[in-house]
Amino acid sequence: MKLAVIGAGAVGRSVAELAADYGHTVTAFADSASAVTDADGIDVTGTLTSKDEQGRVGTADPETAIASEYDVLVEATPTTLGDAEPGFGHVETALKRDRHVVLANKGPVAERYADVRALERESDGTVLFEATVGGAMPVLSTIDDFDPEHISATRGVLNGTANFILSRMAAEGLGYEHVLAEAQDLGVAEADPTFDVEGTDAALKCVIVANVLAQGEREYTLEDAEVDGISSIPGSALELAQEDGRTVRLIGEVANDEVRVGPRLVPETAALAVSGTRNIVQLETDHAGRLNISGRGAGGPETASAVLADVGRLPER
Amino acid sequence: MSDSQDEVRAYTIRLELVDEPGELLRALHPIADNGGNLLSIFHERGNVTPRGHIPVEVDLEATPERFDTIVEALQDENFDIIQAGAERYSEALTIVLSGHLVNTDLSDTLSNIQEATDASVTDLSLSAPAGTNDVSSARLRLATEEGKANDVLDAVRSIAAEKDLTIVEPLTAGGSA
C-alpha cells in the first residue's frame, strides 16, 4: 500500500524506515513545517538525512502530503488534547477522501472518538489505532478478536517512564526526584515529564480502551478518567510496600464504566509488577479467564511495528 | 475473577478457654503451626463465662484453605470454638498513605477511618526516614466486611484528600493480580 506518513518524530521516522520491510511504499512524508511527496516512493534515507541536517523533511507545504495520492494516512503527529488538532483534521481530510487512516496519535481516539467513528461511517476508509495503546503490544486487536462484548475489565501498566521510576525507586531505595533526574539523563523521561508521571498518558490509553469496549454506547474522554500520578509517592511508601511483599505500580483500570489511573499496591510477584520500561495489559475475559499481554509499550520501531501491523489489517482499496 | 483460594483473608475466631495455665498458648499453636498470621488476641480475663471459661477473640489472616485446617486443628485439640469464620471481617485491605502524616495527626486520621467505615485497622507500620516533621508513609491493614471494600476505599479517599495525603490503594475488586 501507499503510505502518507504525517509526523516525523520517533514513530513517524520508524514507520518510514520500516515500511519497505512490510511491503509498503511511502509516497508522502510530512513534518510540521514541510513535506516531500513522490508517487513512486520517496527516498526515505535521503529524507531522514535532510530532517537531521536541515530540520525539515522537504521543501513542499505540509498540506501537499495530505492532499497527495496514497492508500493509508499514517497519523503520527504529537498527541494533543481537547480538539485533538491538527491530528483530527488530518484524519477528517483522509476519511473524506475515502482513504484509510492508521493512528499513532492518541488525541483523536481519546478525545473525539465519536467524531472519528462518525467520519469513518461516511467514508470508504477504515480507521485503526493499535499503536495508540501499549506500543508494540497487540492490545486492541486482541480485544477485537475476543469481541469487546466478552471482556469485562482491563487493567495494566501503560506508561514505561512512570514504571521505570517506580521500579528504580523500589530497587535502589532512592527518592522520586533523584530517579526522575536519572531517567531524564537516560532519555527514558522527557525534560517535561508531566504527561507521563501525572498519569495523563496512561489515562489516554485507558480512555481509548474504554471507548473500544463501550462499542459506541458511551463516549469517553480524558475528562471521564480519574487520574492520579506518582510524583507525590515518597521512597518510604515503596519501602513499606516492600516490607509487606508488595510494590507500587501506576495502574490504569477500565471496569464497570469507570476509567481510573493511579498508584496501586500490587504483590511483588504479580504479573502486573513488571519492571523497568516494560508494559503489561490484563484482559478479564468472560470465558477464558485472564489474559496477559506484555511487552515494549513505547519507542520508535516498537510503535511503528504496531502501525505497520494495522496497515496489514486494512482491506485493499 | 481472582484466585480466591490463594487469597489471604482476615478471620476472627472466638474461643472459650478453660482457666488453666498454658491454655492460651496451647490455643495459639494450631493457628501458627498451620500458616495463620496472628493479627490480634483479645483475652477477656475479667469476663468469665457462666461455665467458668475465659473468652478469647483471635484475629488472624490465612488463605481459606489454611483457615479450614486451623479450625480442624483446634477442634482436634478439643477447644470450644464459639465462632469461627469471616462473618465479621472477611476482607483485608492494605493501603499506604503518604504525606505529612504526623503533622496532620495520624491517630485522628486512623480514628476518622474507623468511624467513617465499619473497617478496623488491624495493623499499622510507619516510616518517617526524614523525621516526623517531613513527609512520611504509613501502611495500614484494614479488616472489613465482605463486599464493603469499595465503600471503605471511598471513605479513605475523602479522608486522605481532606488532609492532602497521597493514597496508594490496592487494586479494586477482582484485581488480585
Side-chain angles (χ1 to χ4, degrees), chain B residues 15 17-18 20-30 41-43 56 58 79:
Chain B
L15 299 166
L17 300 183
V18 182
E20 282 172 13
E23 275 298 283
L24 178 59
L25 189 60
R26 201 168 70 82
L28 297 181
H29 269 302
I41 302 155
F42 188 42
H43 192 208
V56 173
V58 183
F79 282 105

Side-chain angles (χ1 to χ4, degrees), chain A residues 155-157 163 166 226-230 233 237-238 241 246-254 258-268 272-273, chain B residues 94-96 153 157 166-173 175 177:
Chain A
R155 74 180 69 79
V157 170
N163 205 64
L166 289 172
E226 190 187 315
V227 189
D228 289 307
I230 61 161
I233 304 285
L238 284 146
R246 295 163 211 252
T247 189
V248 180
R249 289 290 178 264
L250 183 67
I251 304 285
E253 298 172 88
V254 181
E258 276 185 346
V259 178
R260 299 179 70 222
V261 173
R264 304 277 182 261
L265 284 170
V266 295
E268 270 179 319
L272 273 182
Chain B
T94 300
I95 60 166
V96 173
L153 283 174
R157 264 176 230 144
T166 299
I167 170 173
V168 183
E169 297 174 22
L171 291 168
T172 45

Side-chain angles (χ1 to χ4, degrees), chain A residues 198-277:
Chain A
E198 295 306 340
T200 316
D201 174 70
L204 288 169
K205 292 165 183 169
C206 290
V207 164
I208 294 169
V209 168
N211 276 323
V212 170
L213 291 178
Q215 300 178 88
E217 278 174 29
R218 183 182 157 183
E219 183 185 19
Y220 292 86
T221 67
L222 186 58
E223 287 218 330
D224 299 305
E226 190 187 315
V227 189
D228 289 307
I230 61 161
S231 58
S232 57
I233 304 285
S236 54
L238 284 146
E239 186 194 309
L240 287 175
Q242 235 165 351
E243 270 179 30
D244 201 36
R246 295 163 211 252
T247 189
V248 180
R249 289 290 178 264
L250 183 67
I251 304 285
E253 298 172 88
V254 181
N256 311 319
D257 302 325
E258 276 185 346
V259 178
R260 299 179 70 222
V261 173
R264 304 277 182 261
L265 284 170
V266 295
E268 270 179 319
T269 52
L272 273 182
V274 289
S275 61
T277 56

Side-chain angles (χ1 to χ4, degrees), chain A residues 56-79:
Chain A
R56 51 200 294 160
V57 294
T59 50
D61 186 271
E63 291 301 316
T64 58
I66 296 156
S68 68
E69 286 305 314
Y70 53 81
D71 300 308
V72 185
L73 182 91
V74 174
E75 222 300 330
T77 62
T79 295

